[in-house]
Amino acid sequence: MLKIAWSPVYKYELPEGHRFPMVKYELIPEQLQYEGTAGTDNFFHPDPLPEQVALLTHTKEYWDKLTHVRLSEKEIRAIGFPINEKFVHRGRHIANGTLQCALYAQTYGCAMNIAGGTHHAFADHGEGYCCFNDQAVAANYLLNNHLAKKILIVDLDVHQGNGTASIFRNEPRVFTFSMHGERNYPLRKEQSSLDIGLPDGMTDAPYLDILHDTLPRVADAFQPDFIFYLSGVDILATDQLGRLQISREACRERDRFVLSFCKQHRIPVAVSMGGGYSRRIADIVEAHANTFRMAQEVFF
Ligand SMILES: [Zn+2]
């Protein structure tokens, strides 16, 4: 059974004209149910992230600032959303959604969050639409509870997973692999265990070649017993921020490859959606929906 974390709180009301496509958090579960990729049994509403779990990853000072809504103007600007209690509440549900997906993945092989991939959140601050780092929170939970020994984070969002890289910089039990646009945000990159910076305009064949070559090599050397996959669809040619030229078909092939790899090697995988900023909302929804379709096809 493909378990999918989702809650109505995922969709956060933004001011008119804000460029973040928040509506995808409503349209994707609708689409998946409409077409029969997922039914009501598949979805679960995650609990809010408890403080003691958050503090395995984030500093107490940052947690207090968020939960008491006491960030400075500058800190709020860095995150890029207006911040109130609702937003922090939403972030806690999303982060815990990924954590619960990780636990479901250990039972079912794969589980997915309709949000998350908030890889620009650091231990002590947020940026780039991210406040809590969901995959880091879930990874630290697994390690802390002896539910995994070696965790591989496969971050294929077009932006570098700078927060994740920084959080695990000195953690040998977590391997961070980020494949991203070299000239894209964040301009100042952190050092992941493995960074592959892609040139602007990269097309399908070389992109998939790099992935096909790198993932097996990394996994072979590191031998993870758990994988987090960040399946951002901002690699698409239609993306307004992406700078790459990847087709929707190649994006789906990317998902197929990563998920099949996990399945073949019997490594549980928890998937977080990540970014997607195509002009047409249908392009975003369709590409994200492909990840869920592929999970059903590969695992169930
Ligand atoms: Zn992104």
PDB file of all heavy atoms in Angstrom, residues 119-120 157-159 234 275 277, ligand 1:
ATOM      1  N   HIS A 119      14.669  21.570   1.683  1.00  0.00           N
ATOM      2  CA  HIS A 119      16.113  21.350   1.842  1.00  0.00           C
ATOM      3  C   HIS A 119      16.924  22.626   2.007  1.00  0.00           C
ATOM      4  O   HIS A 119      18.140  22.543   2.148  1.00  0.00           O
ATOM      5  CB  HIS A 119      16.643  20.531   0.659  1.00  0.00           C
ATOM      6  CG  HIS A 119      16.384  21.143  -0.689  1.00  0.00           C
ATOM      7  ND1 HIS A 119      16.959  20.682  -1.846  1.00  0.00           N
ATOM      8  CD2 HIS A 119      15.592  22.194  -1.070  1.00  0.00           C
ATOM      9  CE1 HIS A 119      16.535  21.411  -2.875  1.00  0.00           C
ATOM     10  NE2 HIS A 119      15.715  22.327  -2.433  1.00  0.00           N
ATOM     11  N   HIS A 120      16.261  23.792   1.958  1.00  0.00           N
ATOM     12  CA  HIS A 120      16.992  25.041   2.221  1.00  0.00           C
ATOM     13  C   HIS A 120      16.896  25.468   3.689  1.00  0.00           C
ATOM     14  O   HIS A 120      17.327  26.553   4.037  1.00  0.00           O
ATOM     15  CB  HIS A 120      16.476  26.179   1.338  1.00  0.00           C
ATOM     16  CG  HIS A 120      16.546  25.882  -0.134  1.00  0.00           C
ATOM     17  ND1 HIS A 120      17.690  25.440  -0.750  1.00  0.00           N
ATOM     18  CD2 HIS A 120      15.597  25.957  -1.105  1.00  0.00           C
ATOM     19  CE1 HIS A 120      17.449  25.252  -2.048  1.00  0.00           C
ATOM     20  NE2 HIS A 120      16.188  25.550  -2.282  1.00  0.00           N
ATOM     21  N   ASP A 157      16.132  17.882  -6.827  1.00  0.00           N
ATOM     22  CA  ASP A 157      15.551  19.203  -7.075  1.00  0.00           C
ATOM     23  C   ASP A 157      16.613  20.035  -7.805  1.00  0.00           C
ATOM     24  O   ASP A 157      17.812  19.786  -7.652  1.00  0.00           O
ATOM     25  CB  ASP A 157      15.221  19.841  -5.727  1.00  0.00           C
ATOM     26  CG  ASP A 157      14.397  21.108  -5.836  1.00  0.00           C
ATOM     27  OD1 ASP A 157      14.995  22.200  -6.047  1.00  0.00           O
ATOM     28  OD2 ASP A 157      13.166  21.027  -5.699  1.00  0.00           O
ATOM     29  N   VAL A 158      16.184  21.009  -8.601  1.00  0.00           N
ATOM     30  CA  VAL A 158      17.160  21.764  -9.395  1.00  0.00           C
ATOM     31  C   VAL A 158      18.034  22.681  -8.526  1.00  0.00           C
ATOM     32  O   VAL A 158      19.094  23.127  -8.948  1.00  0.00           O
ATOM     33  CB  VAL A 158      16.466  22.568 -10.517  1.00  0.00           C
ATOM     34  CG1 VAL A 158      15.949  23.915 -10.010  1.00  0.00           C
ATOM     35  CG2 VAL A 158      17.393  22.769 -11.694  1.00  0.00           C
ATOM     36  N   HIS A 159      17.571  22.923  -7.300  1.00  0.00           N
ATOM     37  CA  HIS A 159      18.342  23.778  -6.384  1.00  0.00           C
ATOM     38  C   HIS A 159      19.173  22.910  -5.432  1.00  0.00           C
ATOM     39  O   HIS A 159      18.727  21.835  -5.033  1.00  0.00           O
ATOM     40  CB  HIS A 159      17.387  24.669  -5.590  1.00  0.00           C
ATOM     41  CG  HIS A 159      16.542  25.531  -6.482  1.00  0.00           C
ATOM     42  ND1 HIS A 159      15.223  25.251  -6.758  1.00  0.00           N
ATOM     43  CD2 HIS A 159      16.863  26.637  -7.186  1.00  0.00           C
ATOM     44  CE1 HIS A 159      14.752  26.173  -7.598  1.00  0.00           C
ATOM     45  NE2 HIS A 159      15.726  27.020  -7.875  1.00  0.00           N
ATOM     46  N   ASP A 234      11.390  21.102 -10.669  1.00  0.00           N
ATOM     47  CA  ASP A 234      11.885  22.368 -11.226  1.00  0.00           C
ATOM     48  C   ASP A 234      13.067  22.159 -12.172  1.00  0.00           C
ATOM     49  O   ASP A 234      13.706  23.109 -12.602  1.00  0.00           O
ATOM     50  CB  ASP A 234      12.209  23.390 -10.118  1.00  0.00           C
ATOM     51  CG  ASP A 234      12.909  22.796  -8.927  1.00  0.00           C
ATOM     52  OD1 ASP A 234      13.409  21.665  -9.046  1.00  0.00           O
ATOM     53  OD2 ASP A 234      12.964  23.463  -7.869  1.00  0.00           O
ATOM     54  N   GLY A 275      10.405  21.319  -5.241  1.00  0.00           N
ATOM     55  CA  GLY A 275       9.924  22.485  -5.979  1.00  0.00           C
ATOM     56  C   GLY A 275       9.373  22.183  -7.359  1.00  0.00           C
ATOM     57  O   GLY A 275       9.589  21.109  -7.930  1.00  0.00           O
ATOM     58  N   TYR A 277       8.033  25.155 -10.557  1.00  0.00           N
ATOM     59  CA  TYR A 277       7.606  26.544 -10.800  1.00  0.00           C
ATOM     60  C   TYR A 277       7.318  26.804 -12.273  1.00  0.00           C
ATOM     61  O   TYR A 277       7.616  27.881 -12.789  1.00  0.00           O
ATOM     62  CB  TYR A 277       8.679  27.515 -10.278  1.00  0.00           C
ATOM     63  CG  TYR A 277       9.117  27.174  -8.873  1.00  0.00           C
ATOM     64  CD1 TYR A 277      10.236  26.376  -8.650  1.00  0.00           C
ATOM     65  CD2 TYR A 277       8.371  27.596  -7.767  1.00  0.00           C
ATOM     66  CE1 TYR A 277      10.615  26.005  -7.373  1.00  0.00           C
ATOM     67  CE2 TYR A 277       8.749  27.238  -6.482  1.00  0.00           C
ATOM     68  CZ  TYR A 277       9.877  26.443  -6.295  1.00  0.00           C
ATOM     69  OH  TYR A 277      10.239  26.078  -5.030  1.00  0.00           O
TER      70      TYR A 277
HETATM   71 ZN    ZN B   1      13.915  23.782  -6.072  1.00  0.00          ZN
END
